Every structure is written in C-alpha cells, then in structure tokens.
Amino acid sequence: MSLTYPDPSLLKELAGEYGTPLMVYDEDAIRQTMRAYTENFRSDIFETAVLYASKAFLCTAIAGIAMEEGLHFDAVSGGEIYCLAKAGASAERIHFHGNNKTPGEIEDFFRLGHGHIIVDNEDELKLVRSIANSLKQPMDILIRLNPGVEAHTHEYIATATKDSKFGISIDKTDAIISMVNIIEACPYLTFAGFHSHIGSQILESEAFAMEIRVMFEFIGMMHDRHGIDVRDLDLGGGFAIRYTHEDNPPSTESVCRRIISLCEEEVTRRNLPLKRLMIEPGRSIVGDSGYTLYTAGCRKSTDSREYVFIDGGMADNIRPALYEAEYTCRNITRNDEAPDRTYTLAGKCCESGDILIKEARLPETFPGDLLLVHATGAYGYSMASNYNRLGRPPVVFINGSSHRLVLRRETYEDMMNLDVE
C-alpha cells in the first residue's frame, strides 16, 4: 500500500498563498478516521467512548471537528483544557490527565464543571481531595495504573515499563485500595474506575490484548476479593500509523473490534459490572492526515552525504532528533520525476542533530523546490518551539479543492509579546 499525498497543484497553490514551512491537514481524512473509531468501537453490553488525545495536535478547529463527530477529549494541562473550553467543550467531555497537575490547573478544571480527573499517584489524589473539599464541587476520579505491559516501541514513548513515571504499579494492591478508600470517603469525589496506557506507535495489536488480560484480571480480583466495582475503564491509546513504506499497522477497524471482543469476553466471563470502555486515539486520527510543506534551500556534498537544507527543521518537528522518528518525503515540484537520488534532509536550526530524514529518496532537487513530508500531523505542531527564534508555521485545513487557515504563522512580533523590557 502506497502512502497518500494531497494534490500537487493544490499544494503549490497553498505554498504560494501561505508560504513555507506550512502544515496541511486533510479534514475529510480526519473525519473519516474519527468515524472509523466511533463506528467500530461499539458494544452491546457496555457503553463506549472515543477520547481524542489532545496532545497529538490541538487547536479550536480540530476540537470543533472532534465534537461534531461525537468524540470526547483527554487533556494533560491547563492550557489544553483552556483551548477545549474555548472551542465549546464541556467538562463532562474532558478527561484530565498528567503526572503532576498543579493546584491552579486542578482548581480551574473543577470550576469548569463536573468532569473526570485521572490521578497518577497518592500525593496528587490528596491534592485533588483538598481542592474538592474547598470548592465543594463534584468530580469523577479514575486511578492510573501501570500494568507492566511493555510495548515494543522507543523507550521515550513506552509508558508501562516498571520504572515509568506514569501511574501506580498494578502490583501495589494495598496502595490502590487505599486510594479508592480516600476517593469514596470524600463527599465530592466519585471513584469511576481505572486508566492504563502502554505506549505509542504500537504496531503489534497483541500488546493491547496483553494489556486487556492484565487489567481485567486485576479488576476481577478487586471485584471478587475487595468488593470494589469498576464503572469505567480507559485503555489509553498508542494506535500506530504509517510513517514510511515499511510500517504496516493494523487497521482501525480490526484494532477496535478486537479490543471490544476481548473486553466483552472478560466482562461476561468474570460477571463484572463495567459500564463504559474508553480509548484515546490521537496520533492515529491526525498523524497521517497531516503534512508539512517545505522549500528546499542550499545544497552541500560531503564525502558520504548529499545535503538538501529546508526552511524548517527541529523547531517545527523535533521527533527525529528526540526519538529517531522516521519520515517519507516527496518533491512536489518534480512530482513526475523518478526518485533516483538519496539526500539527507537537514533543517536550518543551529544543531548538528537537526536532521529530518537521513536518507530521503528524491529526484535531483534544486533550491526553490517544494518538498512535502508525510505523516507529520501528530506531535509536529504540538511539540514545535521557537528555538533560534523561529516562528511556528501556519496550519491549513483542506477539504477537496478548498482550504482554510486555522492557525496563522507566528510572527517576530508574536514572539516579542512576552518581553517586559
């Protein structure tokens, strides 16, 4: 299966109107993926919910689309919650994550309304309890567990290893029961259930099957031995996408149906009162529906490399430098020419590690050519920075031959707005 790209003539038009670097999202593809999740992640014996993982890419436009398609949200900071609220999301649609939420963030979320907080540790739970008692506001609580299932992914995006900073080890039964008791003793807090997450860009669906088996064994034990019922179970995300031709992730339909089938079997076999099952796809919704358009600049040859420099780099996509992420690129200007050259695609930041693609197969490329990098829709813009005082790129949503600007280019003046002298 080949990677897909927007129409080259449209991309040239966008580059002319908005300049480069430019992030382009296919709105129709995003909606189709959201519907693939909501239509296939369904059960006859419990409710289901698809939570858009805001950290993948968030602005009011994408939040609005997610609400129109019936999704809820997970958010990991006050800033993400503020953006969701600006887009019109109610607190009940938001699940507040994070391993070190600040008192101000927690207070603001309580004031937004009755939502869901996923507590990461006992210290955080005590802080949440104190704020709930002070504000006299209700909140549903899920406890994040570390199931110890090690997905085969980069160590920086694996989240369920034994020494992970996230969640409480599932082996610490007494500590987990103590946290449930703290929640139930507070008149404003409701114990809703558990949350787990095993990593990102998981290409093998067996990892999810293992997570489900471990979590339901624990939930069954809590139900049978301790009389603790779990209403909600959030299995997190981690669903992979195709960055390169070598990637072969399972389809959204197959992953959703397998998760639902396995959970239905566990609930029925163990006679558990589970009311709702949740997942958190973010990357897989926007990742390969997003692209970054660059303009080629100077070239340079060394003894072993041919460099093509681009007008962006690690400031708008830090993933290759951060955890060796791989991408595929196409020369839009010479779209009909054979990709018979191998270039190192390097950014303009003052770092030797600012390499976007080590071996990009392209036709002979010249300064001024438009280069399109595939599958930058997740964790590109959301992890972008002003390193070297580079402004964040604009974001355009396309729908067929039409397009609309949803985030304008960050200017020098924007970057100076925080200076007080």
Side-chain angles (χ1 to χ4, degrees):
M1 184 174 66
S2 62
L3 299 173
T4 59
Y5 292 85
D7 179 64
S9 61
L10 175 60
L11 293 171
K12 293 174 185 178
E13 177 186 340
L14 296 177
E17 181 166 348
Y18 301 107
T20 61
L22 174 67
M23 295 206 67
V24 180
Y25 283 85
D26 187 330
E27 181 178 341
D28 185 58
I30 291 172
R31 289 184 183 273
Q32 288 180 16
T33 304
M34 288 180 175
R35 290 168 190 170
Y37 275 109
T38 57
E39 290 170 5
N40 289 281
F41 193 69
R42 292 179 176 177
S43 171
D44 293 330
I45 65 175
F46 45 71
E47 297 176 11
T48 56
V50 178
L51 279 57
Y52 175 67
S54 301
K55 61 183 179 289
F57 169 63
L58 183 62
C59 63
T60 54
I62 193 68
I65 291 172
M67 284 187 286
E68 289 173 5
E69 297 297 336
L71 273 64
H72 293 220
F73 302 93
D74 82 60
V76 298
S77 72
E80 289 185 351
I81 291 169
Y82 184 84
C83 180
L84 291 171
K86 281 289 187 180
S90 61
E92 65 181 359
R93 296 180 78 122
I94 301 173
H95 285 63
F96 186 14
H97 288 266
N99 64 293
N100 190 34
K101 307 172 189 70
T102 67
E105 288 175 323
I106 297 170
E107 289 172 5
D108 287 346
F109 189 59
F110 266 94
R111 292 189 175 98
L112 186 63
H114 189 165
H116 313 78
I117 293 180
I118 292 80
V119 295
D120 190 86
N121 51 72
E122 189 169 348
D123 281 351
E124 185 173 82
L125 174 58
K126 291 177 179 177
L127 175 60
V128 170
R129 178 186 61 181
S130 174
I131 292 171
N133 285 330
S134 174
L135 298 178
K136 296 179 172 53
Q137 295 288 337
M139 188 67 63
D140 287 358
I141 304 295
L142 283 79
I143 298 172
R144 178 160 182 169
L145 303 182
N146 180 347
V149 176
E150 298 192 16
H152 296 289
T153 187
H154 193 282
E155 63 176 314
Y156 285 8
I157 52 178
T159 58
T161 58
K162 290 183 178 179
D163 292 324
S164 171
K165 75 171 189 175
F166 296 108
I168 302 167
S169 172
I170 203 166
D171 297 328
K172 296 186 176 181
T173 304
D174 290 345
I176 296 167
I177 293 173
S178 174
M179 291 180 69
V180 173
N181 290 336
I182 289 173
I183 296 167
E184 293 184 335
C186 177
Y188 304 106
L189 302 181
T190 300
F191 172 66
F194 295 121
H195 171 276
S196 68
H197 183 73
I198 58 175
S200 296
Q201 187 59 8
I202 299 170
L203 292 162
E204 301 295 334
S205 59
E206 182 56 33
F208 298 113
M210 178 62 73
E211 176 192 14
I212 289 167
R213 286 192 288 269
V214 170
M215 289 299 295
F216 273 98
E217 182 177 354
F218 181 79
I219 292 171
M221 181 271 293
M222 295 292 275
H223 172 75
D224 296 339
R225 297 185 188 177
H226 304 285
I228 295 175
D229 289 336
V230 170
R231 184 190 75 192
D232 294 347
L233 174 61
D234 188 335
L235 293 173
F239 310 107
I241 64 169
R242 297 191 77 221
Y243 286 102
T244 70
H245 295 282
E246 289 71 35
D247 293 332
N248 187 29
S251 69
T252 299
E253 293 82 356
S254 65
V255 170
C256 287
R257 289 172 182 172
R258 187 172 189 204
I259 289 174
I260 290 293
S261 176
L262 290 173
C263 291
E264 287 179 339
E265 290 176 10
E266 293 284 354
V267 167
T268 302
R269 181 169 66 87
R270 298 177 185 275
N271 193 28
L272 295 172
L274 183 72
K275 299 296 183 184
R276 183 168 62 164
L277 184 71
M278 294 168 284
I279 53 172
E280 301 170 353
R283 176 202 308 264
S284 61
I285 287 177
V286 294
D288 52 10
S289 297
Y291 312 82
T292 307
L293 192 61
Y294 299 102
T295 299
C298 300
R299 299 170 296 175
K300 185 179 80 170
S301 295
T302 67
D303 290 343
S304 58
R305 291 181 185 269
E306 281 194 86
Y307 282 99
V308 169
F309 302 130
I310 57 173
D311 56 352
M314 65 188 295
D316 60 77
N317 189 350
I318 200 172
R319 294 184 68 252
L322 185 61
Y323 39 71
E324 302 172 325
E326 296 183 352
Y327 289 95
T328 301
C329 180
R330 177 172 293 186
N331 187 322
I332 298 302
T333 301
R334 305 176 196 283
N335 191 58
D336 296 329
E337 298 180 20
D340 54 4
R341 304 285 287 270
T342 299
Y343 292 105
T344 295
L345 211 62
K348 69 191 297 337
C349 292
C350 192
E351 292 288 339
S352 296
D354 185 18
I355 304 295
L356 191 59
I357 304 176
K358 291 181 180 178
E359 295 184 347
R361 294 293 293 173
L362 296 167
E364 186 173 4
T365 297
F366 298 88
D369 285 357
L370 292 176
L371 305 179
L372 188 75
V373 178
H374 172 84
T376 61
Y379 305 110
Y381 192 93
S382 63
M383 298 177 79
S385 73
N386 292 133
Y387 184 56
N388 291 164
R389 283 284 177 164
L390 294 174
R392 292 173 178 83
V395 177
V396 171
F397 281 10
I398 61 173
N399 197 337
S401 60
S402 65
H403 54 86
R404 60 188 174 112
L405 182 70
V406 299
L407 288 167
R408 65 171 175 82
R409 187 179 300 280
E410 191 173 26
T411 66
Y412 296 148
E413 289 77 13
D414 291 330
M415 288 185 278
M416 295 301 297
N417 280 339
L418 300 181
D419 281 55
V420 296
E421 291 188 5

